[in-house]
Amino acid sequence: MILHKKATLFIGLLIGFFAKAQTQDFTHYVNPFIGTSNFGATNPGAIAPRGMASVSPFNVAGRQNVLEKDSRWLSNPYVNENTFLTGFSHVNMSGVGCPDLGVILSIPTTGELQTDHLEYGTTYTNEVAKPGYYSVELDKYNVKTELTASTRVGVSRYSFPAGKANLLLNLGLGLTNEQGAVLKFNSPTEVEGYRMVGSFCYNNVESAYPIYFVARISETPANYGIWDKPAKYDGVEAQWMGYNGKTRLKEQFMREVVGDSIGAYFKYDFDKPTQVVMKIGISYVSVANARENLDEEVGDASFDAVYKQTKQAWNDKLSVVEVEGGSVDDKTIFYTGLYHTQIAPSILNDSNGEYPAMKTRAVKHTEGTRYTVFSLWDTYRNYHQLMSLLYPQEQLDMVNSMLDIYDQNAWLPKWELNATETFTMVGDPAAVVLADTYARGITDFDVDKAYKAMLKSADTREGNPLRPGLGEYIDNGYVSVDSDVAGPVSTTQEYNIADYAIAQLAEILGKKQDAKRFTKRALSYKKMYNKDSRFLQPKMSDGSWYEPFDPLAGANFTENPGFIEGNAWQYLFMQPHDIKGMIKLMSGEKKFEEKLDALFAEDQFDMANEPDISYPFLYNYLPGKSYKTREKVAELIDTYFTNKPAGLPGNDDTGTMSAWLVYAMMGFYPMTPGEATYTLSEPQFDTVRIHLNPDFYSNKTLTIKNQSTRNNYKTATFKVNGKALNNSQVMHKNWVEAGEIIFE
Amino acid sequence: MILHKKATLFIGLLIGFFAKAQTQDFTHYVNPFIGTSNFGATNPGAIAPRGMASVSPFNVAGRQNVLEKDSRWLSNPYVNENTFLTGFSHVNMSGVGCPDLGVILSIPTTGELQTDHLEYGTTYTNEVAKPGYYSVELDKYNVKTELTASTRVGVSRYSFPAGKANLLLNLGLGLTNEQGAVLKFNSPTEVEGYRMVGSFCYNNVESAYPIYFVARISETPANYGIWDKPAKYDGVEAQWMGYNGKTRLKEQFMREVVGDSIGAYFKYDFDKPTQVVMKIGISYVSVANARENLDEEVGDASFDAVYKQTKQAWNDKLSVVEVEGGSVDDKTIFYTGLYHTQIAPSILNDSNGEYPAMKTRAVKHTEGTRYTVFSLWDTYRNYHQLMSLLYPQEQLDMVNSMLDIYDQNAWLPKWELNATETFTMVGDPAAVVLADTYARGITDFDVDKAYKAMLKSADTREGNPLRPGLGEYIDNGYVSVDSDVAGPVSTTQEYNIADYAIAQLAEILGKKQDAKRFTKRALSYKKMYNKDSRFLQPKMSDGSWYEPFDPLAGANFTENPGFIEGNAWQYLFMQPHDIKGMIKLMSGEKKFEEKLDALFAEDQFDMANEPDISYPFLYNYLPGKSYKTREKVAELIDTYFTNKPAGLPGNDDTGTMSAWLVYAMMGFYPMTPGEATYTLSEPQFDTVRIHLNPDFYSNKTLTIKNQSTRNNYKTATFKVNGKALNNSQVMHKNWVEAGEIIFE
């Protein structure tokens, strides 16, 4: 990207000027289609910042589609290449690797009522997506559909032509494999119910739970009812069941209907083109709360009014960082990245503060915000650091949510989703987030409880759901292949990182003994380093190397005895807390650089997954090699992050990839999780202006300017008041309090 | 029976004496096991008079059982010959021919939790059944279970031994083929939910509906939760679903769970033998109403207190008729018959008066009682006549319920069940019930509306759900085989009977024109009489006879082009409104008597189904042949009605067979539906004392005494004040006002 920056400079300046003239509408620079291809797993639907509800086009059912939800592992409700749309789902996840939610689907149709989504599905044209807004035209019906949302309410507007029309609310169809729903009409224009979801990552089905909703429509229908298609019965009684396997229409039925494949229909016969607005309030607590959310947030407000408010909310979020310079595409990938960091973690509590407790889902109450969707294996690396910088109140609420989870579940979260612990991935990432947040000066939480919770997972040798294999790890320094813990090398590395974070917090809290103990534990990765192969290798419990060793194991679905979601190359440098020690272990700076070069040269670097995403910044730690970090980072941005549907390197991982991008484009990166520091690269804009939250930061604005040229590029550095900063490591506190930083 | 009456006379007198000494406990003479074999389809469970809730042992699941619900057509939750019990169902039908309800099953178990009924089911011993009470001991668990019920609440008491125990509430298992349920714990001792039921007679599934409940237990469990066994998934994703097809335990889960196969469990570990009482309130309106029913009717009352109250309610019902003489068995079949007439129609409305409207199930309110379970093809023949005599207020409420159904459904009921119209069987029986009730002096209902409703079904030629083929019937006098109306001869006969009833009401209301018109229509059966075959025969629309004609057609599953549930023999005499005309048509009294004799002699009389059950009374209409009616009726009682599980001739048909028995044992019978008359036979007791409801009858008590002997048997007659009555026909009004009637 850096290479063609000049070419776009003039255009960039022009656009920058116009953007300012529009009183800084940053939503303009968000392209919600980014990440909707190449398994980015984002969706272009309408959502408010961290919204509980979102309304996404749903085009992953039906074999007409390239990627079909029932014929493969697919984690998103929308794929840009697909063409067959079967509705608009009202609860969705974004940027995750496992399917869940993607339910409560509305769709407009015309003509006779048809309740089978494979029959009523349609191709579509003229998609438009903006923060809080999506629209599309459905080819089969000539119905324009527009979507918007407030935090807990999805709002859709359907522009029907004259004639027979239907509005459907399908509770059978969904991205999740779970089934079971309830529907009940309260009046011709209001239907309530719930839909069971869960089994994220095909796991933990005992925790499957209902999502409640109340749906209201603006136009009284000519008729309405519930359809129900029960499973086909196959006993001997089937001979008397003339209705076996057939869909039933329960016209104007006013009591609850239970079923796996049910939906509500509203029938119209319009004498002129007519718009119908549907508002669906969501809750994880009850139908009553869903109704309250609907009334509180939207009530009688028009579609346009809801959109206006949500757009404003987005602009407030995005305007925390103002950039100048760069192309429209540069700005678009940057602000879309920022946008993607504001979807998950999302809000779990209702407008009245109620939310479900972990496991039992008993009703709890919060005065603040209970966040959910904690994909911590991903987000501990950079996401929460970014939140601490840009949205510290949110980060604080997230930390308090994590402690709340600990209170209810007896363990810190690992991969929490809507008050269920999915125990996905490895390591003990919550400890890192807690330590890192505290270190960054966000301390208004019960740190004693946090520390106690961290120690529990760090010291419970047996029956530890967060840290399986911990006894062996404590005794021998590593988790062995024969322990049957998944990815024992990766797991050991993650435990090292978590232990380092605990040591950092212990240090701050003055717990010297613990600090010493965990600092020592954090370096045990060295026991897995084989000087002959020059890799971290899986080991047996007796201390012998696991044989055979293949540094590429894991590629092409080959067996992977040592690592999770990566191979020995991708995990080799994952010691962000002991970079000097790692360089020494790997025979010094020169050898280390060679190996790092080889990683990239041999195409073993994987931008699409988390373990190695900080590696381009490692050149900063080799004297005089910082330019390589800057080049590599720019190249990666240029290669993997584009203003296109395929413009993310893979799963956004609930904003982790986007957080990487946002940091990388601002020119710094939180190299060492658990430590309040940054390592530096190069700003991708002429100016980056960060508006800091005055409740957390004394300095109002942090301005970073890039005044480098081709000539001084190799030696350019960040300077504060003319004084050069250390590329490899600056303190977070110094950085944010600098006022103005110039890269030159 | 009459033959060995003397032998039991002395014993009968003794028992009678003791019974009186016990302040007349008539419940003593009820054996709820009668009808639980031979497809009587009654159950021995606990129920209050006309109860919405009932708790029945459920022993029809599992191939260990002789009659198994999923391997054949089976309409009852309990079969006396079966041995494998899988719980206690809390809503049940009695004496019907199609499966429905039989859901919300509780069962106690001991040891480890097991949620599969085929695993936890058990044999049992020591069954005891009384009105409002049932108890049994479960072999596998050594748990005595006792059941009782108030009108809308089922109460069960489980006497557990010390040790691990479980109490289960299974919403998956059920007699109905419908599925789908919801469960939600409100506290460790309260769970609420609902269960979808419907498709009575494998029909009208669009009307499937929920039954709501709230269940409370008396002892706080050590643990509790919900189990859920979803259907096995068979898509490609099944490879990732390690849980596929397995049961999930959702421990202490406090939100709704939806599923086809779900249940609640309460776990205990008793240090000593402990009783647990479970109370389940039922509603057809809502969970809130189920809770209100539970609180209003039972609240904190003990099991014993509930039983005591229900027993009293039963005794109040049964004591309307006091009999003296006869054996214990005679009294037992008589009072059990009376008991069986007080189960259906049952109460649909909640204690607050709310009930679901027809079809839409929108909430309605009644100040009186909304009855349901109107099996009118059966009950129009004798049941409602008996209710008019013994329980006129109930009969009035039933009529008002029928008019309420008309208001909501636009048609009178045919076979109404829990606010759904199942349209089972043929004819227009509601018209007969309305006319008959009015004729018997129960007139406090909107007779204009009733008449209007009757005319609607009698005159709507097309799209008439009550009287299909009506146009042809009006034009030609009969429904033809090629009309595709089921059982066209039977249907024509039923329309004749209904038309006669309408004519009777028209006459009373002074509508001379209608009276004439319907009187004429009522005789059109003659067009189907073939003088050559001497049978009513199916006809084609062109007037030709349907060929071939087989008077036995329908037996052994042979095709039956003319008749419903019977053959040409069984329908031949079904003109109770034109007996004289029928005798004439069939070539006079001698030929008629020969044919009637042949019916019985050739074993074509079917005591188990309704069309011919009044035929034994036809001898009354042949001069000097009344003794044959008396002999035949006594013989039929003796043959088909016994104090044994197989002691009903077949389906009780919601009390119709029992009403036949009660009338037959009292010595009179309502020969002509729609007409307030009786034909007479012989009392089976020395004295029958009927306590008439003073709100409806001026005479307080009607006493019928049998003073006949073997000597005067052939010529004995009923006498009032020494004046002989006409055996073939006495007016209802004269009969009830007689005071004392002596058969001698």
Side-chain angles (χ1 to χ4, degrees):
Chain A
M1 162 117 41
I2 194 109
L3 300 176
H4 44 86
K5 197 160 114 187
K6 287 196 172 180
T8 58
L9 189 64
F10 177 68
I11 300 169
L13 281 172
L14 266 181
I15 298 278
F17 174 79
F18 283 125
K20 277 185 185 166
Q22 292 165 20
T23 65
Q24 295 288 338
D25 178 2
F26 296 98
T27 68
H28 211 68
Y29 290 116
V30 175
N31 176 5
F33 288 108
I34 293 176
T36 62
S37 180
N38 191 34
F39 299 98
T42 65
N43 69 66
I47 187 169
R50 304 199 183 280
M52 173 190 287
S54 67
V55 203
S56 172
F58 189 94
N59 69 355
V60 292
R63 301 297 165 106
Q64 296 94 326
N65 288 316
V66 181
L67 298 179
E68 207 273 337
K69 74 183 179 75
D70 293 329
S71 45
R72 54 167 298 132
W73 187 297
L74 188 67
S75 61
N76 32 325
Y78 175 92
V79 172
N80 195 258
E81 295 88 330
N82 285 353
T83 57
F84 185 72
L85 184 141
T86 53
F88 304 95
S89 45
H90 281 67
V91 278
N92 302 285
M93 301 183 77
S94 174
V96 295
C98 294
D100 205 350
L101 309 192
V103 292
I104 313 177
L105 276 86
S106 63
I107 193 166
T109 69
T110 57
E112 293 305 316
L113 177 67
Q114 170 60 258
T115 60
D116 179 350
H117 66 273
L118 296 177
E119 295 294 327
Y120 67 59
T122 172
T123 56
Y124 51 93
T125 47
N126 293 335
E127 286 182 284
V128 174
K130 300 184 274 190
Y133 181 88
Y134 170 91
S135 74
V136 68
E137 285 165 31
L138 305 188
D139 296 343
K140 194 168 174 180
Y141 306 116
N142 190 28
V143 175
K144 181 176 180 180
T145 296
E146 296 165 283
L147 312 175
T148 189
S150 66
T151 302
R152 300 171 183 89
V153 184
V155 181
S156 47
R157 180 163 64 186
Y158 308 95
S159 297
F160 286 102
K164 282 190 177 178
N166 312 285
L167 184 50
L168 312 183
L169 189 62
N170 190 333
L171 294 195
L173 183 59
L175 184 58
T176 171
N177 247 12
E178 288 298 296
Q179 288 195 299
V182 167
L183 271 173
K184 176 172 168 278
F185 271 93
N186 297 313
S187 77
T189 58
E190 185 180 294
V191 64
E192 65 177 42
Y194 40 99
R195 170 59 147 88
M196 299 300 287
V197 297
S199 71
F200 183 70
C201 291
Y202 304 99
N203 201 357
N204 192 20
V205 287
E206 290 74 16
S207 293
Y209 55 94
I211 303 182
Y212 305 89
F213 72 90
V214 170
R216 272 189 212 136
I217 53 168
S218 60
E219 301 295 312
T220 302
N223 208 340
Y224 60 95
I226 292 170
W227 81 79
D228 178 14
K229 187 177 184 185
K232 201 163 180 180
Y233 185 88
D234 57 5
V236 298
E237 291 156 278
Q239 63 190 295
W240 306 305
M241 296 166 68
Y243 50 86
N244 197 10
K246 292 182 186 161
T247 298
R248 309 161 178 186
L249 294 187
K250 300 174 77 71
E251 203 175 283
Q252 297 183 22
F253 194 81
M254 300 304 282
R255 300 259 74 73
E256 283 89 346
V257 175
V258 182
D260 283 340
S261 185
I262 63 175
Y265 60 88
F266 303 88
K267 287 182 170 186
Y268 295 97
D269 196 351
F270 296 121
D271 53 10
K272 60 175 192 289
T274 306
Q275 285 189 334
V276 178
V277 174
M278 179 179 248
K279 300 169 180 175
I280 304 188
I282 301 291
S283 167
Y284 286 91
V285 171
S286 65
V287 165
N289 278 13
R291 180 174 291 108
E292 196 176 334
N293 289 339
L294 176 53
D295 289 337
E296 288 283 317
E297 288 186 6
V298 172
D300 293 332
S302 69
F303 178 94
D304 292 332
V306 175
Y307 170 48
K308 189 180 171 191
Q309 188 175 309
T310 296
K311 183 181 174 179
Q312 185 59 52
W314 274 116
N315 208 36
D316 292 347
K317 286 280 186 184
L318 300 172
S319 60
V320 163
V321 186
E322 291 180 70
V323 298
E324 289 168 21
S327 68
V328 171
D329 279 355
D330 291 341
K331 282 180 168 157
T332 301
I333 63 170
F334 179 81
Y335 281 108
T336 303
L338 207 51
Y339 168 82
H340 281 147
T341 70
Q342 297 302 303
I343 291 175
S346 54
I347 294 167
L348 180 64
N349 60 287
D350 291 320
S351 56
N352 64 11
E354 290 183 349
Y355 66 95
M358 296 295 291
K359 279 202 299 196
T360 69
R361 305 190 86 75
V363 181
K364 296 283 174 183
H365 186 272
T366 177
E367 292 298 328
T369 301
R370 164 63 157 91
Y371 283 107
T372 185
V373 187
F374 285 101
S375 180
L376 295 168
W377 180 84
D378 300 305
T379 58
Y380 87 80
R381 298 167 203 269
N382 62 24
Y383 177 89
H384 293 285
Q385 292 83 333
L386 186 66
M387 296 306 103
S388 292
L389 176 67
L390 301 182
Y391 311 99
Q393 182 60 51
E394 294 180 12
Q395 177 58 23
L396 179 59
D397 285 343
M398 286 176 203
V399 164
N400 278 318
S401 297
M402 290 164 71
L403 295 180
D404 190 54
I405 291 166
Y406 167 74
D407 282 342
Q408 291 160 15
N409 215 29
W411 296 94
L412 287 167
K414 191 167 194 171
W415 210 128
E416 186 270 357
L417 170 58
N418 291 336
T420 71
E421 177 50 76
T422 70
F423 290 119
T424 308
M425 298 309 296
V426 299
D428 185 8
V432 189
V433 174
L434 295 175
D436 191 283
T437 305
Y438 198 83
R440 283 174 203 276
I442 299 170
T443 57
D444 190 18
F445 61 88
D446 186 344
V447 73
D448 292 334
K449 182 191 285 179
Y451 191 72
K452 193 178 155 202
M454 287 155 75
L455 284 195
K456 183 180 181 189
S457 46
D459 284 337
T460 304
R461 294 174 60 103
E462 300 297 328
N464 187 331
L466 288 175
R467 294 208 195 192
L470 187 68
E472 189 180 26
Y473 168 81
I474 291 172
D475 294 343
N476 305 333
Y478 67 94
V479 180
S480 67
V481 175
D482 39 333
S483 71
D484 278 338
V485 173
V489 182
S490 308
T491 296
T492 303
Q493 292 178 275
E494 295 289 355
Y495 292 171
N496 272 199
I497 291 171
D499 285 348
Y500 179 79
I502 295 171
Q504 299 314 102
L505 183 60
E507 193 71 47
I508 296 172
L509 299 178
K511 297 173 191 292
K512 299 289 175 194
Q513 203 74 352
D514 282 349
K516 200 172 158 191
R517 182 160 70 95
F518 284 101
T519 299
K520 191 183 166 203
R521 273 171 50 162
L523 303 176
S524 70
Y525 75 94
K526 294 179 183 177
K527 298 199 175 180
M528 299 184 299
Y529 186 72
N530 186 334
K531 288 196 171 164
D532 298 329
S533 70
R534 302 180 61 213
F535 280 104
L536 297 175
Q537 282 186 215
K539 249 181 171 172
M540 304 302 288
S541 55
D542 64 5
S544 63
W545 300 112
Y546 173 85
E547 294 291 351
F549 171 65
D550 173 8
L552 302 183
N556 300 315
F557 301 100
T558 54
E559 208 193 339
N560 193 347
F563 304 92
I564 283 278
E565 291 196 3
N567 62 24
W569 271 109
Q570 286 141 21
Y571 271 95
L572 177 57
F573 305 96
M574 199 182 81
Q575 283 69 236
H577 59 293
D578 187 37
I579 298 171
K580 281 186 184 164
M582 174 164 66
I583 291 170
K584 194 177 166 197
L585 185 71
M586 292 164 74
S587 312
E589 289 162 354
K590 198 169 146 49
K591 292 282 185 194
F592 184 86
E593 184 181 0
E594 279 172 12
K595 194 81 178 180
L596 195 55
D597 285 346
L599 171 84
F600 292 108
E602 295 178 25
D603 211 17
Q604 289 305 318
F605 175 76
D606 180 10
M607 188 67 234
N609 215 354
E610 276 65 15
D612 59 4
I613 56 174
S614 69
Y615 294 181
F617 298 94
L618 285 173
Y619 289 108
N620 271 341
Y621 298 82
L622 303 172
K625 305 295 181 180
S626 282
Y627 73 94
K628 280 195 173 184
T629 282
R630 299 198 288 273
E631 279 180 355
K632 185 51 73 182
V633 168
E635 180 198 323
L636 291 170
I637 293 172
D638 199 35
T639 305
Y640 291 106
F641 297 89
T642 59
N643 185 10
K644 289 176 186 162
L648 280 177
N651 286 173
D652 192 35
D653 291 326
T654 67
T656 303
M657 288 299 161
S658 290
W660 187 96
L661 177 69
V662 169
Y663 268 130
M665 292 189 87
M666 293 194 300
F668 57 107
Y669 193 83
M671 188 68 200
T672 307
E675 197 180 84
T677 59
Y678 297 111
T679 195
L680 310 178
S681 52
E682 180 187 3
Q684 304 296 305
F685 298 100
D686 296 339
T687 306
V688 174
R689 198 172 287 114
I690 299 173
H691 300 292
L692 297 165
N693 183 333
D695 292 343
F696 293 83
Y697 293 103
S698 56
N699 182 25
K700 204 177 159 195
T701 307
L702 170 63
T703 304
I704 303 165
K705 291 187 174 171
N706 187 348
Q707 297 177 356
S708 70
T709 63
R710 289 304 303 158
N711 292 341
N712 66 6
Y713 173 68
K714 272 212 173 180
T715 57
T717 55
F718 285 93
K719 288 180 184 165
V720 176
N721 294 326
K723 194 180 163 195
L725 300 175
N726 176 1
N727 270 337
S728 64
Q729 186 168 313
V730 295
M731 297 302 291
H732 165 76
K733 187 173 160 60
N734 297 339
W735 185 255
V736 294
E737 289 179 357
E740 185 171 86
I741 301 169
I742 296 173
F743 181 76
E744 59 183 14
Chain B
M1 166 119 35
I2 195 107
L3 301 177
H4 45 86
K5 198 161 114 186
K6 287 196 174 183
T8 59
L9 190 64
F10 178 70
I11 300 170
L13 282 172
L14 267 182
I15 299 279
F17 174 80
F18 284 125
K20 276 185 185 166
Q22 291 165 20
T23 65
Q24 295 287 338
D25 178 3
F26 296 98
T27 68
H28 211 69
Y29 291 115
V30 175
N31 176 5
F33 289 108
I34 292 176
T36 62
S37 180
N38 191 35
F39 299 97
T42 64
N43 69 67
I47 187 169
R50 303 198 182 283
M52 173 190 287
S54 68
V55 202
S56 172
F58 188 94
N59 69 356
V60 292
R63 301 297 166 107
Q64 296 93 324
N65 289 315
V66 182
L67 299 179
E68 206 273 338
K69 73 184 181 72
D70 293 329
S71 45
R72 55 167 298 132
W73 187 297
L74 188 67
S75 61
N76 30 324
Y78 175 92
V79 172
N80 196 258
E81 295 89 330
N82 285 351
T83 56
F84 185 73
L85 185 141
T86 53
F88 304 95
S89 47
H90 281 68
V91 279
N92 303 284
M93 300 183 77
S94 174
V96 296
C98 294
D100 205 351
L101 308 192
V103 292
I104 313 177
L105 276 86
S106 63
I107 193 167
T109 69
T110 56
E112 293 306 314
L113 177 66
Q114 171 58 259
T115 61
D116 179 349
H117 66 272
L118 297 178
E119 296 294 328
Y120 67 61
T122 172
T123 57
Y124 51 92
T125 46
N126 292 335
E127 286 182 284
V128 173
K130 300 184 274 190
Y133 181 88
Y134 171 90
S135 73
V136 68
E137 284 165 32
L138 305 187
D139 296 341
K140 193 168 174 180
Y141 306 115
N142 190 27
V143 175
K144 181 176 180 180
T145 296
E146 296 166 284
L147 312 175
T148 188
S150 66
T151 302
R152 301 171 183 89
V153 184
V155 181
S156 46
R157 179 163 65 186
Y158 308 96
S159 298
F160 287 101
K164 282 190 178 180
N166 312 283
L167 185 49
L168 312 183
L169 190 62
N170 190 334
L171 294 194
L173 183 60
L175 185 59
T176 171
N177 248 11
E178 289 297 298
Q179 287 196 300
V182 167
L183 270 174
K184 176 171 167 280
F185 271 93
N186 297 313
S187 77
T189 58
E190 185 180 294
V191 64
E192 64 177 43
Y194 39 100
R195 171 59 147 86
M196 299 300 287
V197 298
S199 71
F200 183 69
C201 292
Y202 303 99
N203 200 0
N204 192 21
V205 286
E206 290 76 15
S207 293
Y209 54 93
I211 303 182
Y212 305 89
F213 72 89
V214 170
R216 273 188 213 136
I217 53 168
S218 60
E219 300 297 311
T220 302
N223 208 340
Y224 60 96
I226 293 170
W227 81 80
D228 178 14
K229 187 178 183 184
K232 200 163 182 180
Y233 186 88
D234 57 6
V236 296
E237 291 155 277
Q239 63 191 293
W240 305 305
M241 296 166 67
Y243 49 86
N244 198 9
K246 291 182 187 160
T247 298
R248 309 161 178 186
L249 294 187
K250 300 173 78 70
E251 202 175 284
Q252 298 184 21
F253 195 81
M254 301 303 284
R255 299 259 74 73
E256 283 88 345
V257 175
V258 182
D260 284 339
S261 186
I262 63 175
Y265 60 87
F266 304 87
K267 287 182 172 184
Y268 295 96
D269 195 351
F270 295 120
D271 53 11
K272 60 174 194 287
T274 307
Q275 286 190 334
V276 178
V277 175
M278 179 179 247
K279 300 169 179 175
I280 304 187
I282 300 291
S283 167
Y284 287 91
V285 171
S286 65
V287 165
N289 279 12
R291 181 174 291 109
E292 195 175 333
N293 289 339
L294 176 54
D295 290 337
E296 287 284 318
E297 288 185 7
V298 173
D300 294 330
S302 68
F303 179 94
D304 292 332
V306 175
Y307 170 50
K308 188 180 173 192
Q309 188 174 309
T310 295
K311 182 181 173 180
Q312 185 58 51
W314 273 116
N315 208 35
D316 292 347
K317 286 280 186 184
L318 299 173
S319 60
V320 163
V321 186
E322 292 178 70
V323 299
E324 289 168 19
S327 66
V328 172
D329 279 354
D330 291 341
K331 283 180 169 160
T332 301
I333 64 171
F334 179 81
Y335 281 108
T336 303
L338 207 51
Y339 168 82
H340 281 147
T341 70
Q342 297 302 302
I343 291 175
S346 54
I347 294 167
L348 181 64
N349 59 285
D350 292 319
S351 57
N352 64 11
E354 290 184 347
Y355 66 96
M358 297 294 291
K359 277 203 299 200
T360 68
R361 306 190 86 75
V363 181
K364 298 282 175 183
H365 185 271
T366 177
E367 293 297 330
T369 300
R370 164 63 158 90
Y371 283 106
T372 185
V373 187
F374 285 102
S375 179
L376 295 167
W377 180 85
D378 300 305
T379 58
Y380 86 81
R381 298 168 204 269
N382 61 24
Y383 177 89
H384 293 285
Q385 293 83 333
L386 185 66
M387 296 306 104
S388 292
L389 176 67
L390 302 182
Y391 311 98
Q393 182 59 51
E394 294 181 13
Q395 177 57 23
L396 178 60
D397 284 343
M398 287 177 202
V399 163
N400 278 317
S401 296
M402 290 166 70
L403 295 180
D404 190 54
I405 291 167
Y406 168 74
D407 283 343
Q408 292 161 15
N409 215 27
W411 297 94
L412 287 167
K414 192 168 193 168
W415 210 128
E416 186 269 356
L417 169 57
N418 290 338
T420 71
E421 178 49 79
T422 70
F423 290 121
T424 308
M425 299 308 296
V426 300
D428 186 7
V432 189
V433 174
L434 295 175
D436 191 282
T437 306
Y438 198 83
R440 285 176 201 275
I442 299 171
T443 57
D444 191 19
F445 60 90
D446 186 344
V447 72
D448 293 335
K449 181 193 284 182
Y451 191 71
K452 194 178 154 202
M454 288 155 74
L455 284 193
K456 184 181 179 188
S457 46
D459 284 338
T460 303
R461 295 173 59 101
E462 301 296 329
N464 187 331
L466 287 174
R467 293 208 197 191
L470 187 67
E472 189 180 27
Y473 169 80
I474 291 172
D475 294 344
N476 305 332
Y478 67 94
V479 180
S480 67
V481 175
D482 40 333
S483 71
D484 278 338
V485 172
V489 181
S490 308
T491 296
T492 302
Q493 292 177 276
E494 295 288 354
Y495 291 172
N496 273 198
I497 291 171
D499 284 348
Y500 178 79
I502 295 170
Q504 300 314 102
L505 184 59
E507 193 71 45
I508 295 172
L509 299 178
K511 298 173 190 290
K512 298 288 177 194
Q513 203 73 354
D514 281 350
K516 201 172 158 190
R517 181 160 70 95
F518 284 101
T519 298
K520 191 183 166 203
R521 273 172 48 163
L523 301 177
S524 71
Y525 74 94
K526 294 180 181 175
K527 296 198 174 181
M528 299 184 301
Y529 186 71
N530 187 333
K531 288 199 169 162
D532 297 331
S533 70
R534 300 180 61 214
F535 280 104
L536 297 174
Q537 282 187 217
K539 249 181 173 174
M540 304 303 288
S541 55
D542 64 6
S544 63
W545 298 112
Y546 173 85
E547 294 289 351
F549 171 67
D550 173 7
L552 302 183
N556 299 317
F557 300 100
T558 53
E559 207 193 342
N560 193 349
F563 304 92
I564 283 276
E565 291 196 3
N567 62 23
W569 271 109
Q570 286 141 19
Y571 272 95
L572 177 56
F573 305 96
M574 200 184 79
Q575 283 70 233
H577 61 291
D578 187 36
I579 297 171
K580 280 186 183 165
M582 177 164 66
I583 292 170
K584 193 177 167 195
L585 183 72
M586 291 165 72
S587 312
E589 288 163 353
K590 196 170 150 46
K591 292 282 184 191
F592 184 88
E593 184 182 357
E594 280 171 14
K595 195 82 179 181
L596 196 54
D597 285 345
L599 172 84
F600 293 107
E602 293 177 24
D603 211 17
Q604 290 304 316
F605 175 77
D606 181 9
M607 189 68 234
N609 214 354
E610 277 64 16
D612 59 3
I613 56 173
S614 69
Y615 294 0
F617 297 94
L618 284 173
Y619 289 108
N620 271 340
Y621 298 82
L622 302 172
K625 304 295 181 181
S626 283
Y627 74 93
K628 280 196 174 186
T629 282
R630 299 197 289 272
E631 281 181 354
K632 186 50 74 181
V633 168
E635 179 197 325
L636 291 170
I637 294 171
D638 200 34
T639 306
Y640 291 106
F641 298 88
T642 59
N643 185 11
K644 290 177 186 163
L648 281 176
N651 285 174
D652 192 37
D653 291 326
T654 66
T656 303
M657 288 299 162
S658 290
W660 187 96
L661 177 69
V662 169
Y663 267 130
M665 292 190 88
M666 294 193 300
F668 57 108
Y669 194 82
M671 188 69 201
T672 306
E675 200 179 81
T677 59
Y678 296 112
T679 195
L680 310 178
S681 52
E682 181 187 1
Q684 303 296 306
F685 298 99
D686 296 339
T687 306
V688 174
R689 200 171 286 114
I690 300 174
H691 300 290
L692 297 165
N693 183 334
D695 292 344
F696 293 83
Y697 294 103
S698 55
N699 182 25
K700 204 178 158 196
T701 306
L702 170 63
T703 304
I704 303 165
K705 292 188 174 171
N706 188 348
Q707 298 177 356
S708 70
T709 63
R710 288 303 306 155
N711 293 341
N712 66 4
Y713 174 67
K714 272 209 173 180
T715 56
T717 56
F718 285 93
K719 287 181 184 166
V720 176
N721 295 327
K723 197 181 162 193
L725 300 175
N726 177 0
N727 270 336
S728 64
Q729 187 168 315
V730 295
M731 298 302 290
H732 165 74
K733 187 173 160 55
N734 297 341
W735 185 255
V736 294
E737 290 179 358
E740 185 172 86
I741 302 169
I742 296 173
F743 182 75
E744 60 181 13

